[in-house]
Amino acid sequence: MVTPSVKKVAFAAFIGTTIEWYDFYIYALASVLIFGPLFFPSDNQFITILGTFGTFAIGFLARPLGAIIFGHIGDRLGRKKSLIMTLMLMGMATTCVGLLPTFETAGIIAPILLVLLRIMQGIAVGGEWGGAVLMAGEHAPKGLKNFFSSFAQWGSPAGNVLALLVFSYILSLPEALLFDSNYWRLPFLVSFILLIIGLVARITLTESPVFVEASKKQQQIKQQESAPLVSVFKHSLPIIILAIGANALSFSGIFSNTLMIGYTTLALQVDKNIILEALFWVAIVHFICQPFTAYLAEKIQASYFLILSALFAMLSVFLLFPIVNMGNKTSFIIGISLTVICYSGFYGVIAGYLSRVFPVRIRYTALSISYQGCAALFGSIIPLVGGYIIYQYGTFWYPLALFYCVLALISIICIYLLSRYHYYDE
């Protein structure tokens, strides 16, 4: 039975992750569209590209640290406490980006501070994702756990829509206002207002009933447990490795955002406002499709659904580039949407599926490490390798498509192997 409290937790998970992903996406957009001349000025375009994509990638490398820190808090002190802390850290780091001096006024200290704040963002997201998924999924009734877990994932397209709306307005301003009058700072400063909204939503939540029950049992047997991190690597290392691989396709969303902006503006020489408007409509498609695909996955075995979604994603990428290469806004919307529809099914379901391959007492830590370990590995590789491919091959898109297919194939193999392990379905 879906009670009002379950709906409230799902809504709070959605609102919280929407804010987190808004912060993430405005940084991603700014790294491609704004940060180059502000923080990495150079006459060599390749150096500027590496500087901006490299800073974007550093946030992914910091995520496992957040998974360890906040996973421990979430498994020992509760999901709610951890989620409040991660939201505060993310909101403050993003707000501070909007207050940074530029390279012109502060020299090398400016990109250094930008990198440090990006690391803070990475740590916050590293602890946020697992907790949001678990709060929604562990409150949900049996038979709808994948669907309710997807509400945390639903925040990604919602945050993307918000970020694209804000950036579409910002980039429509005259360059003098954007750079000289510092209007580029506004998307980051708005994050402080969203932080307050998110905190109100999360402070009013009740703790996960699954976590509370597990804690009571642990107290009754009075057993001294190892730290969650120790237990994860002692008892669940093979599952962690497979879960990291299973998540690979989750980060292919970078293709439909950051790399598509790079590909269209650098290789196709398209005006950045055109691709941003197209991506806004693509994000709407993602937002609409994701809950339907997550609900559909409850009707069939989740592992089969994920493998089918990944296979369709592999096929869709070979339609993506020929359509996008037509070079107009409509073709961008159609081409990228085809890939995003396939991706949304996978992305919406993978969180709930992986959350229950681990026992409750180490679940926050294990789930976070598997996802954020994947973020550190694939999330940092994808923008760097993708940026290099775009710079090196331009409109010859086959290497970029094959790179995408490799990610999907890794996920398919690991999900197939994971299906052999025990599955907890409280």
Side-chain angles (χ1 to χ4, degrees):
M1 179 180 174
V2 181
T3 63
S5 63
V6 171
K7 294 177 182 178
K8 181 181 178 181
V9 171
F11 178 73
F14 167 69
I15 291 296
T17 52
T18 295
I19 295 167
E20 293 270 1
W21 284 112
Y22 166 82
D23 291 347
F24 175 86
Y25 282 123
I26 59 170
Y27 193 103
L29 292 167
S31 69
V32 179
L33 300 170
I34 290 178
F35 284 164
L38 289 173
F39 295 97
F40 305 98
S42 174
D43 294 331
N44 188 321
Q45 187 186 42
F46 183 56
I47 291 175
T48 300
I49 291 172
L50 282 184
T52 54
F53 279 143
T55 307
F56 176 68
I58 283 172
F60 286 99
L61 294 174
R63 287 189 182 193
L65 179 58
I68 292 169
I69 295 170
F70 293 106
H72 182 91
I73 294 170
D75 279 329
R76 284 293 174 86
L77 303 180
R79 305 352 185 175
K80 178 179 173 179
K81 290 184 177 67
S82 184
L83 284 174
I84 291 171
M85 293 178 189
T86 57
L87 187 63
M88 290 181 65
L89 180 62
M90 185 68 165
M92 295 307 298
T94 305
T95 302
C96 286
V97 171
L99 301 173
L100 282 180
T102 63
F103 189 91
E104 183 180 0
T105 57
I108 192 66
I109 192 69
I112 290 174
L113 289 173
L114 183 66
V115 168
L116 290 175
L117 289 173
R118 180 59 176 163
I119 290 171
M120 288 176 61
Q121 282 189 324
I123 291 172
V125 173
E128 157 74 20
W129 180 86
V133 169
L134 293 182
M135 278 292 277
E138 290 179 348
H139 275 85
K142 190 172 182 178
L144 287 173
K145 291 185 177 294
N146 286 324
F147 175 67
F148 277 95
S149 295
S150 74
F151 275 74
Q153 301 288 72
W154 204 21
S156 177
N160 195 15
V161 168
L162 285 178
L164 287 165
L165 277 174
V166 172
F167 257 86
S168 294
Y169 167 71
I170 292 297
L171 292 176
S172 68
L173 298 173
E175 194 166 302
L177 284 177
L178 182 61
F179 293 106
D180 298 339
S181 298
N182 291 314
Y183 272 59
W184 67 268
R185 300 179 184 275
L186 290 179
F188 299 94
L189 298 178
V190 166
S191 181
F192 186 77
I193 300 172
L194 297 177
L195 168 63
I196 302 302
I197 296 171
L199 284 176
V200 171
R202 286 193 169 169
I203 287 172
T204 59
L205 293 181
T206 57
E207 184 55 85
S208 158
V210 175
F211 170 79
V212 171
E213 183 64 25
S215 298
K216 287 180 180 178
K217 289 180 180 178
Q218 196 62 36
Q219 290 173 359
Q220 288 172 358
I221 62 176
K222 297 180 180 180
Q223 179 181 347
Q224 184 64 36
E225 272 200 303
S226 302
L229 182 65
V230 175
S231 296
V232 165
F233 284 101
K234 186 176 180 181
H235 303 294
S236 302
L237 185 57
I239 306 179
I240 286 285
I241 294 171
L242 290 176
I244 288 173
N247 268 309
L249 189 60
S250 297
F251 293 93
S252 66
I254 296 171
F255 270 80
S256 59
N257 287 280
T258 307
L259 290 182
M260 274 297 105
I261 293 173
Y263 180 78
T264 53
T265 57
L266 298 174
L268 300 181
Q269 299 295 308
V270 172
D271 183 86
K272 57 191 175 185
N273 288 308
I274 294 175
I275 183 61
L276 276 181
E277 187 177 348
L279 287 178
F280 169 75
W281 292 109
V282 170
I284 295 292
V285 171
H286 186 181
F287 181 79
I288 293 171
C289 286
Q290 188 159 299
F292 288 104
T293 54
Y295 186 76
L296 175 64
E298 298 287 8
K299 307 302 178 183
I300 62 175
Q301 189 172 326
S303 58
Y304 293 156
F305 180 87
L306 289 166
I307 290 172
L308 284 172
S309 296
L311 287 171
F312 279 117
M314 291 175 71
L315 294 174
S316 71
V317 77
F318 290 96
L319 296 173
L320 164 68
F321 286 102
I323 296 174
V324 165
N325 280 355
M326 294 177 184
N328 58 72
K329 185 175 68 176
T330 302
S331 70
F332 297 156
I333 295 171
I334 295 172
I336 302 171
S337 292
L338 287 174
T339 302
V340 163
I341 289 170
C342 298
Y343 163 77
S344 69
F346 185 94
Y347 184 72
V349 175
I350 188 67
Y353 174 73
L354 290 179
S355 68
R356 295 191 303 285
V357 299
F358 301 105
V360 176
R361 59 189 175 81
I362 60 167
R363 183 174 289 171
Y364 198 136
T365 301
L367 179 63
S368 296
I369 287 176
S370 64
Y371 186 80
Q372 308 309 340
C374 182
L377 179 61
F378 294 102
S380 59
I381 288 174
I382 290 171
L384 292 176
V385 173
Y388 173 78
I389 291 173
I390 291 168
Y391 176 80
Q392 188 71 29
Y393 294 98
T395 57
F396 183 68
W397 54 267
Y398 285 99
L400 208 54
L402 291 174
F403 182 41
Y404 185 93
C405 289
V406 168
L407 297 174
L409 187 60
I410 291 170
S411 289
I412 289 170
I413 293 170
C414 291
I415 289 166
Y416 174 76
L417 295 174
L418 268 174
S419 64
R420 299 164 55 193
Y421 284 91
H422 180 66
Y423 195 71
Y424 301 86
D425 195 16
E426 298 90 359

